[in-house]
Amino acid sequence: MKISYNWLLDYLPKDEVFASYINDISKVENILTAVGLEVEGVSHFESVKGGLKGLVVGEVLTCEKHPNADKLKVTTVNIGNTTEQIVCGAPNVAAGQKVVVAPVGAVLHPVSGDAFTIQKAKIRGEESRGMLCAEDEIGLGEGHAGIIVLPENSVPGTSISELYEVYTDTIFEIGLTPNRMDAQSHLGVAKDVCAWLSHHTGKTASVVSPLGKPFSADNNNLRIEVVVKDSALCPRYSGVTVSGIQIGESPVWLKNRLMALGLKPISNVVDITNFILHTTGQPLHAFDADKIGGGKVIVETLAGNTPFVTLDEKERKLSDEDIMICDGSDTPMCIAGVFGGADSGITGKTKNIFLESAVFNGGNIRKSIFRHGLRTDAAVRFEKGVDISKTVDVLKYAAQMIRDLCNGVISSEVTDIFQPPADRIILLEFAYLRKLSGVEFSKEEVRAILTQLGFEILEEGDRNLKVKAPESNPDILHPADVVEEILRISGLDQVPIPTQVRMTPGIHDNAEEALLKEKVASWLTGNGFMEIFTNSITNSDYYPDVKNAVRIINSLSEELDIMRPDMLATALESIAHNINRKNKDLRFFEFGKSYSAEGKKYKERNHLSILVTGAHSRKGWNSQEKQVDIFYLKGIAQALCRLAGLEVSVEVDDKKGCIAFLSGKTSVAMLSRVADNYLMKFSIKQPVFFLDIDWDRFVTASLDNVIEYKPVARYPAVSRDLSMVLDRSVQFGEIEEVIHALKIKRMQRIQMFDLYESDKLGVGKKSVALNFIFSDPEKTLTDQDTDGMMNKIIRTLSEKVNAEIRSNG
């Protein structure tokens, strides 16, 4: 949220004791952050970009036709301390004029386009040392028909910024937390600043509020009746009419205030409502009173699918939960608190208005925001909540501004339909305050801080304080909330650091799982993988065929509308994000959940997902770059299974193009190459490999596995190699399965170290070389022992996979 420093100053006290704080922008910034309104950025605003710096008044002494161009003039211009020759193409330039000059070195900020610096140049052979400027070239307006001609009494050399008033301001970008609806305005922020000043200076600082001034109607000639059908949807609705207004431009000061916050001035009435919104936090809406049928305003809901054309001229189908403002004939005029209608708004011909100041149910407003995709400034404030106690005061302030700035007449008394909320009475024990905050506050300090923040002190005792929470802070419900308010103002940085830290050790039910998770994550990071955290809410467009997805009823946006059915899509978004920034060699892992619906029940599954793409090793002076492939990720999967103490078998599904890892008969992981057509949804053009570990099954299998200690072998191991020719269709997994089925206890390991495919071996044949490690814990193996085991393996491979042995050694 943006807060204007100049705007804020209007509501802060002018006492000398506070001047050293509020006149120092950096100190104001620190105060805002201290009270919980963290300043995330500070920017500078100028009503004219560049502030007209470097531009001076010049007097055209001579103006001659350019010898080499029909439309150019060569002028000599007195700019105060020197005379410069400047080539100009403006049709209205003439000797004797006072003009705006941009000397060499000046930076111009045109209305459109980027800023540029004036340099000495030759134009058609004539030297030009500067530029005579038009309105659009220096940001003063849109005019480009000719250069600006200044009053005759302008003095050459005078800075142009002295002739034109340039409004400057400092803008604080505040990171407003959802519970701080009271700080959605300059007055709300001023209240916190004044509370801080009072506490830290010892002198009461009061907000200089524009509200509460005497109010009276000029006449009662234009009365609009108001009916609220459900006070739960609209607990307060107030309105007043102003007649005989003149729609036009706003005064410069008002336009500058709005532009400083990035708002575009529209007309005086609209600008006043925007000004009031950012001053008080209370949204207003102005209706053309002559378009209100039956002279009545009705707050109600309409039947579902009722058509309604909004200000943007789009027809929208209403829900029966949308709060609507209708006229006496039940014709909808506005989606309450969200967006106006096309047929009831202010136009240049409007003479009479009905001004609305209300409070609407935040839950209904939020649903309307997302249902219709209309997130307006007013809707955001109603969604979070507005101060119901200030509704009428704000309305009166706005009506007086419209009367003064639009030459209107207040033509009715204020109508106010009000269903007061229940008082929120809170008992704060001083012992509780001391225990929770760690600070010993005096009763006087507590009373002063809470009074400054708008709390009403109901009862005060030696041990406690009973207070009524202000309507500006509807989130304050418990004593802990009151403690937070006190700490905000006194300063969290003032809380003393305790000399002792006391804690009670806890027993975690999932300690073993947490240790395994830490073990796996450490191994992955140690091997060059990076952990990512992605959003568990994703886009249903990624899953057009998934029928059991968990859909979000009130999604944050159209793109985030389901809980992810798997871990792939959100991880691919991270892959795409990095590839688009020239980071193409990626190894990611993520612990997360997937979600599915089964009837009215929902299921969550824990996963460890691993994605690799690009190169896994860089090119060096003694090595070549190596790209990841499915075998690389298969090795990672097997290593993780060994790390968890799992013995797994591998099943290859050629049709689906995936590899399953089984612990017993339970699948604990699935490995595949992501389909190219799916990658195109993310604009990824390089191969990506995906390993999805079912973390729940993986943990269960690991914890069920009994780890047995085996002493280090006292006798040397024996290594044997075996080369064979077999059909290309035979997978290494089949060879492993055949050999493991022999249950040779002395065989410790089998590994493929060479693969060669060529028609020279025979059509459809390949050569595979295997390495075997044999070991016996009781003795040194003899050649006869090893040969016996190898012969058994050779016979079995010949019978089972038709292997033709090439060498054995």
Side-chain angles (χ1 to χ4, degrees):
M1 190 185 110
K2 293 180 179 179
I3 291 294
S4 157
Y5 173 67
N6 290 346
W7 203 333
L8 183 62
L9 284 182
D10 287 347
Y11 310 126
L12 296 179
K14 306 301 185 286
D15 305 52
E16 192 63 33
V17 68
F18 308 125
S20 62
Y21 294 97
I22 64 178
N23 293 335
D24 187 326
I25 292 175
S26 62
K27 287 185 178 179
V28 173
E29 178 185 345
N30 291 335
I31 291 172
L32 293 176
T33 299
V35 298
L37 305 176
E38 184 180 359
V39 177
E40 298 179 338
V42 179
S43 58
H44 187 65
F45 170 78
E46 293 171 322
S47 57
V48 179
K49 283 185 181 180
L52 304 177
K53 294 173 185 174
L55 306 182
V56 297
V57 175
E59 180 181 9
V60 181
L61 302 178
T62 65
C63 180
E64 305 291 340
K65 184 178 180 300
H66 194 294
N68 302 316
D70 293 337
K71 295 184 179 181
L72 299 180
K73 305 283 180 59
V74 179
T75 66
T76 55
V77 184
N78 171 22
I79 59 172
N81 57 352
T82 184
T83 299
E84 301 288 3
Q85 177 174 295
I86 299 175
V87 176
C88 179
N92 65 328
V93 64
Q97 291 175 334
K98 302 293 177 61
V99 295
V100 177
V101 180
V104 172
V107 179
L108 295 189
H109 296 264
V111 172
S112 60
D114 298 327
F116 61 94
T117 303
I118 299 298
Q119 298 177 342
K120 184 170 65 174
K122 274 197 173 184
I123 302 176
R124 294 290 185 95
E126 294 294 324
E127 189 175 75
S128 181
R129 296 186 296 276
M131 178 176 172
L132 306 187
C133 303
E135 282 185 357
D136 65 329
E137 293 166 338
I138 60 175
L140 276 178
E142 302 289 340
H144 192 70
I147 59 171
I148 299 171
V149 179
L150 300 172
E152 293 182 2
N153 60 352
S154 302
V155 179
T158 304
S159 174
I160 294 299
S161 61
E162 296 180 20
L163 303 183
Y164 292 90
E165 183 179 349
V166 178
Y167 177 77
T168 61
D169 198 356
T170 298
I171 306 301
F172 301 112
E173 188 71 43
I174 292 176
L176 201 62
T177 52
N179 65 314
R180 292 305 311 277
M181 52 76 61
D182 61 304
Q184 295 182 110
S185 66
H186 287 78
L187 278 176
V189 173
K191 180 187 70 173
D192 274 8
V193 173
C194 285
W196 189 96
L197 289 172
S198 298
H199 181 75
H200 291 273
T201 65
K203 183 173 181 179
T204 302
S206 301
V207 176
V208 182
S209 176
L211 305 180
K213 294 180 180 179
F215 174 89
S216 62
D218 298 311
N219 59 54
N220 279 297
N221 296 337
L222 185 58
R223 298 182 62 184
I224 302 289
E225 183 185 352
V226 175
V227 176
V228 176
K229 290 191 174 181
D230 187 348
S231 61
L233 299 179
C234 179
R236 191 165 197 178
Y237 191 98
S238 55
V240 68
T241 58
V242 184
S243 61
I245 64 170
Q246 296 175 6
I247 302 294
E249 280 194 33
S250 297
V252 173
W253 71 265
L254 178 53
K255 290 196 285 188
N256 284 336
R257 284 289 168 89
L258 297 178
M259 289 190 295
L261 297 186
L263 302 174
K264 183 180 179 181
I266 298 173
S267 69
N268 46 14
V269 173
V270 176
D271 294 348
I272 288 170
T273 59
N274 282 329
F275 174 81
I276 296 293
L277 171 67
H278 289 276
T279 295
T280 67
Q282 171 67 53
L284 303 174
H285 190 78
F287 298 91
D288 189 324
D290 297 327
K291 297 178 181 178
I292 300 176
K296 181 187 290 187
V297 166
I298 303 174
V299 184
E300 59 182 339
T301 56
L302 299 177
N305 292 320
T306 299
F308 177 61
V309 180
T310 47
L311 270 174
D312 54 5
E313 298 184 349
K314 292 183 179 179
E315 183 177 286
R316 303 176 189 275
K317 299 295 184 181
L318 299 177
S319 162
D320 58 6
E321 291 185 325
D322 291 326
I323 307 171
M324 299 300 298
I325 309 298
C326 302
D327 65 12
S329 59
D330 279 341
T331 301
M333 300 188 294
C334 174
I335 302 177
V338 180
F339 211 47
D343 299 327
S344 62
I346 303 298
T347 68
K349 297 180 180 180
T350 297
K351 295 298 180 185
N352 306 309
I353 65 169
F354 174 75
L355 192 61
E356 164 197 284
S357 178
V359 176
F360 301 109
N361 183 287
N364 288 71
I365 295 296
R366 176 177 171 80
K367 291 177 181 179
S368 294
I369 289 173
F370 293 112
R371 185 180 298 117
H372 301 295
L374 296 169
R375 194 170 186 81
T376 58
D377 280 348
V380 168
R381 283 162 173 80
F382 281 124
E383 175 191 13
K384 294 182 178 180
V386 296
D387 187 350
I388 197 170
S389 67
K390 294 291 191 293
T391 304
V392 170
D393 288 340
V394 173
L395 179 66
K396 291 176 178 179
Y397 177 40
Q400 289 168 326
M401 279 193 71
I402 292 174
R403 177 176 60 187
D404 296 340
L405 298 182
C406 306
N407 299 318
V409 175
I410 298 177
S411 298
S412 73
E413 296 293 341
V414 171
T415 298
D416 184 28
I417 299 177
F418 185 23
Q419 180 66 45
D423 291 339
R424 284 168 289 121
I425 309 300
I426 302 170
L427 182 66
L428 176 65
E429 300 285 347
F430 294 131
Y432 178 76
L433 169 62
R434 183 169 55 253
K435 177 182 178 182
L436 195 60
S437 68
V439 181
E440 185 74 47
F441 290 102
S442 67
K443 289 191 292 183
E444 292 74 19
E445 286 180 304
V446 173
R447 186 193 317 113
I449 289 175
L450 293 179
T451 301
Q452 282 287 140
L453 292 176
F455 287 80
E456 182 182 343
I457 309 298
L458 301 178
E459 293 179 16
E460 184 176 354
D462 292 335
R463 297 182 177 182
N464 53 45
L465 195 68
K466 183 180 286 187
V467 297
K468 176 184 173 184
E471 296 301 337
S472 59
N473 298 75
D475 66 300
I476 296 178
L477 302 170
H478 310 288
D481 301 325
V482 181
V483 174
E484 180 186 358
E485 293 298 289
I486 295 170
L487 277 175
R488 277 198 312 110
I489 302 305
S490 67
L492 291 169
D493 55 346
Q494 302 300 313
V495 177
I497 299 174
T499 56
Q500 294 179 326
V501 177
R502 300 176 182 177
M503 62 175 288
T504 302
I507 300 174
H508 298 284
D509 296 334
N510 300 322
E512 291 180 322
E513 178 184 347
L515 288 173
L516 179 61
K517 184 176 181 179
E518 182 65 26
K519 186 178 181 181
V520 169
S522 298
W523 188 92
L524 287 168
T525 53
N527 282 274
F529 286 79
M530 300 186 71
E531 186 170 8
I532 61 173
F533 297 91
T534 62
N535 195 347
S536 56
I537 305 175
T538 188
N539 192 337
S540 60
D541 288 346
Y542 297 147
Y543 302 96
D545 300 324
V546 175
K547 305 300 182 185
N548 63 337
V550 179
R551 300 194 173 273
I552 308 297
I553 296 174
N554 293 313
S555 59
L556 294 174
S557 69
E558 293 182 1
E559 291 76 26
L560 299 173
D561 58 346
I562 63 168
M563 304 296 288
R564 61 186 175 196
D566 60 41
M567 301 288 290
L568 180 58
T570 53
L572 286 177
E573 289 178 335
S574 293
I575 294 281
H577 179 85
N578 280 271
I579 290 176
N580 291 338
R581 287 153 182 80
K582 309 299 181 183
N583 187 16
K584 297 185 177 182
D585 302 325
L586 305 168
R587 286 177 287 172
F588 289 161
F589 74 95
E590 178 181 17
F591 290 96
K593 293 182 177 182
S594 65
Y595 307 85
S596 61
E598 294 184 3
K600 294 183 178 180
K601 295 184 178 181
Y602 299 99
K603 278 194 173 183
E604 297 180 6
R605 297 292 300 178
N606 291 296
H607 297 261
L608 166 59
S609 61
I610 302 175
L611 292 93
V612 295
T613 185
H616 67 83
S617 62
R618 301 286 177 86
K619 184 177 181 180
W621 66 272
N622 63 347
S623 61
Q624 296 296 317
E625 181 178 85
K626 294 182 180 179
Q627 296 290 318
V628 298
D629 55 21
I630 200 165
F631 301 108
Y632 168 78
L633 195 50
K634 178 187 174 187
I636 296 295
Q638 291 174 322
L640 290 176
C641 290
R642 287 195 297 270
L643 188 71
L646 298 182
E647 290 188 9
V648 294
S649 58
V650 175
E651 284 188 0
V652 179
D653 189 330
D654 291 324
K655 291 183 178 180
K656 294 183 179 179
C658 60
I659 300 173
F661 296 85
L662 306 178
S663 175
K665 295 183 179 181
T666 302
S667 175
V668 295
M670 190 69 69
L671 168 62
S672 64
R673 172 175 171 165
V674 183
D676 291 341
N677 59 347
Y678 192 67
L679 291 178
M680 290 308 297
K681 291 186 177 184
F682 305 86
S683 300
I684 298 175
K685 299 179 181 179
Q686 62 188 59
V688 178
F689 300 91
F690 176 55
L691 173 64
D692 182 24
I693 296 177
D694 188 315
W695 186 249
D696 295 321
R697 293 178 179 176
F698 188 85
V699 170
T700 300
S702 176
L703 297 182
D704 289 345
N705 184 50
V706 179
I707 299 176
E708 295 180 356
Y709 169 75
K710 291 183 180 180
V712 178
R714 292 182 296 169
Y715 301 99
V718 176
S719 174
R720 285 289 181 91
D721 293 339
L722 178 64
S723 178
M724 69 189 87
V725 175
L726 37 68
D727 292 338
R728 293 184 188 179
S729 61
V730 178
Q731 300 289 335
F732 175 66
E734 296 179 53
I735 298 173
E736 268 191 313
E737 188 176 347
V738 167
I739 295 173
H740 284 308
L742 296 174
K743 297 183 179 180
I744 301 174
K745 293 183 178 180
R746 293 171 174 174
M747 187 179 69
Q748 303 298 310
R749 190 184 72 189
I750 174 175
Q751 183 175 350
M752 183 173 69
F753 66 88
D754 186 51
L755 174 65
Y756 175 69
E757 295 183 352
S758 173
D759 288 340
K760 293 180 180 179
L761 300 172
V763 178
K765 297 291 185 178
K766 65 180 177 182
S767 173
V768 174
L770 306 177
N771 173 255
F772 298 86
I773 301 294
F774 300 99
S775 176
D776 192 317
E778 303 295 334
K779 67 173 186 175
T780 300
L781 292 174
T782 64
D783 287 344
Q784 185 177 0
D785 294 331
T786 308
D787 288 342
M789 290 182 286
M790 288 299 298
N791 289 333
K792 188 175 181 181
I793 291 171
I794 290 170
R795 284 196 304 272
T796 302
L797 289 174
S798 299
E799 294 171 3
K800 299 293 184 179
V801 296
N802 295 320
E804 178 186 338
I805 306 304
R806 300 182 71 190
S807 64
N808 173 23

